[in-house]
Amino acid sequence: MQTDADTLESSVVTEFVLLGFPGCWEIQIFLFSFFLVVYVLTLLGNGTIICAVRWEPRLHTPMYFLLGNFAFLEIWYASSTVPNVLANILSKTKAISFSGCFLQFYFFFSLGTTECLFLAVMAYDRYLAICHPLHYPTIMTGKLCRTLVSLCWLTGFLGYPIPIFLISQLPFCGSNIIDHFLCDMDPLMALSCAPAPITELIFYTQSSLVLFFTIMYILRSYILLLRAVFLVPSAAGRRKAFSTCGSHLAVVSLFYGTVMVMYVSPTYGIPTLMQKILTLVYSIMTPLFNPLIYSLRNKDMKLALRNILFRMRISQNS
């Protein structure tokens, strides 16, 4: 006779099923093509920024050093989700292993946290450059830039191992179907057989604090920055300062606007499809838009890209 313990043991989840986006086969093929094009453009766009910062001497400044590292981060951020989404669309089972699901969960949140910290550091850089231009070269040195970048990566990746490990130890003994295209906090907690309010509280408190403190610091930096810009006597100087910061503000608004809807505001009233679309915007579309925003709005970056293309043509013809 089979006991309840045997039944529970036999039904323990070893893999999850990611439903992804609903639709017929034609819609799935369209989504696959769309995500593939977005991913390739994301790799090309951010890779181009990295190459421009690396090869163009005029871009060997703190601002572009941070931008190059940010582009490198965006490549990995997109890579934490898109390849699995592409494989999932073509898969008949749409299954992801238990360990694979939590690895994706870890990298997705660690890279997202690192992005929040990077945006705060980039706001600090712009604040110093505009509000304290005379002291900027002595404060924002190469050593400080490398230290800040290292702290962003370390903080982002050391903040989530324990909470995510605790979540992975919860009993998942019922349904293994996740109505999402990636392994996220809410769907995983919904599948757990036992409530874990403390673990959930720790995770959401940590995520909310990261979002709150970084966005408040960014807003404070830009309030001080805008106040300094309005004191600039010439209209040309004000336009130059606004153009320098406009791209960063666009990235911040796009990223934080969608993330805060998902992880700070209650999500129980948001339809599942809308949650997927919001997650899609900040996890897949934002890494695509960032190189477009930075390169199209930045004269130095456009000039550097032209110089690189010109040198490539010369080397090919010689």
Side-chain angles (χ1 to χ4, degrees):
M1 183 175 178
Q2 191 178 36
T3 65
D4 291 341
D6 293 333
T7 303
L8 183 64
E9 183 67 27
S10 64
S11 63
V12 170
V13 170
T14 59
E15 65 179 17
F16 295 99
V17 176
L18 293 171
L19 294 183
F21 289 93
C24 61
W25 179 244
E26 288 77 11
I27 293 177
Q28 298 302 310
I29 292 299
F30 169 77
L31 289 174
F32 178 86
S33 303
F34 173 73
F35 289 134
L36 181 61
V37 170
V38 167
Y39 185 53
V40 170
L41 291 177
T42 299
L43 297 181
L44 289 175
N46 287 288
T48 301
I49 288 180
I50 294 171
C51 292
V53 173
R54 177 69 179 84
W55 292 337
E56 179 58 41
R58 72 173 65 235
L59 299 185
H60 292 174
T61 63
M63 182 178 80
Y64 292 107
F65 175 77
L66 293 173
L67 179 56
N69 279 274
F70 187 65
F72 179 73
L73 167 66
E74 292 294 65
I75 288 175
W76 285 105
Y77 191 41
S79 298
S80 69
T81 56
V82 181
N84 185 72
V85 170
L86 294 173
N88 182 264
I89 291 174
L90 298 179
S91 171
K92 291 183 178 180
T93 62
K94 299 187 179 297
I96 182 173
S97 68
F98 187 89
S99 58
C101 182
F102 278 94
L103 276 175
Q104 183 191 58
F105 185 27
Y106 169 69
F107 280 106
F108 180 66
F109 270 87
S110 296
L111 289 164
T113 300
T114 305
E115 177 152 349
C116 291
L117 298 172
F118 256 104
L119 290 171
V121 169
M122 292 167 77
Y124 172 66
D125 174 73
R126 292 300 83 209
Y127 162 74
L128 284 179
I130 294 175
C131 296
H132 302 284
L134 299 179
H135 299 288
Y136 178 75
T138 57
I139 297 175
M140 189 57 72
T141 61
K143 182 180 179 180
L144 179 60
C145 279
R146 290 189 293 271
T147 300
L148 291 174
V149 167
S150 300
L151 285 174
C152 288
W153 285 101
L154 287 173
T155 304
F157 276 82
L158 294 179
Y160 284 98
I162 293 177
I164 291 179
F165 173 77
L166 293 175
I167 295 170
S168 70
Q169 298 305 298
L170 295 174
F172 296 92
C173 52
S175 173
N176 66 338
I177 297 175
I178 297 177
D179 191 7
H180 213 313
F181 62 86
L182 55 77
C183 294
D184 205 352
M185 178 65 179
D186 284 340
L188 285 171
M189 293 304 297
L191 295 182
S192 174
C193 302
I198 295 177
T199 301
E200 199 168 355
L201 178 64
I202 291 172
F203 188 90
Y204 277 113
T205 300
Q206 183 174 330
S207 300
S208 298
L209 287 176
V210 169
L211 288 170
F212 176 77
F213 282 112
T214 53
I215 191 62
M216 291 305 295
Y217 180 79
I218 292 170
L219 290 175
R220 176 184 174 277
S221 297
Y222 273 94
I223 289 171
L224 296 174
L225 188 150
L226 290 172
R227 187 176 67 178
V229 167
F230 283 121
L231 295 177
V232 175
S234 67
R238 287 195 296 271
R239 281 196 300 270
K240 183 178 180 181
F242 276 124
S243 66
T244 303
C245 306
S247 56
H248 186 236
L249 278 175
V251 172
V252 168
S253 301
L254 182 67
F255 180 76
Y256 275 96
T258 50
V259 169
M260 293 186 78
V261 170
M262 285 296 299
Y263 298 108
V264 176
S265 63
T267 58
Y268 54 79
I270 304 176
T272 303
L273 181 59
M274 182 57 65
Q275 291 186 34
K276 294 178 185 179
I277 292 173
L278 289 170
T279 307
L280 176 69
V281 170
Y282 71 80
S283 64
I284 297 177
M285 300 309 296
T286 302
L288 169 67
F289 293 146
N290 285 350
L292 295 175
I293 291 170
Y294 279 115
S295 59
L296 292 177
R297 293 181 56 89
N298 191 296
K299 293 181 180 179
D300 290 336
M301 182 62 70
K302 286 188 285 188
L303 181 60
L305 293 176
R306 288 196 199 101
N307 291 339
I308 291 172
L309 290 174
F310 180 69
R311 288 198 294 264
M312 289 175 64
R313 287 175 185 171
I314 292 176
S315 63
Q316 288 175 355
N317 294 332
S318 59

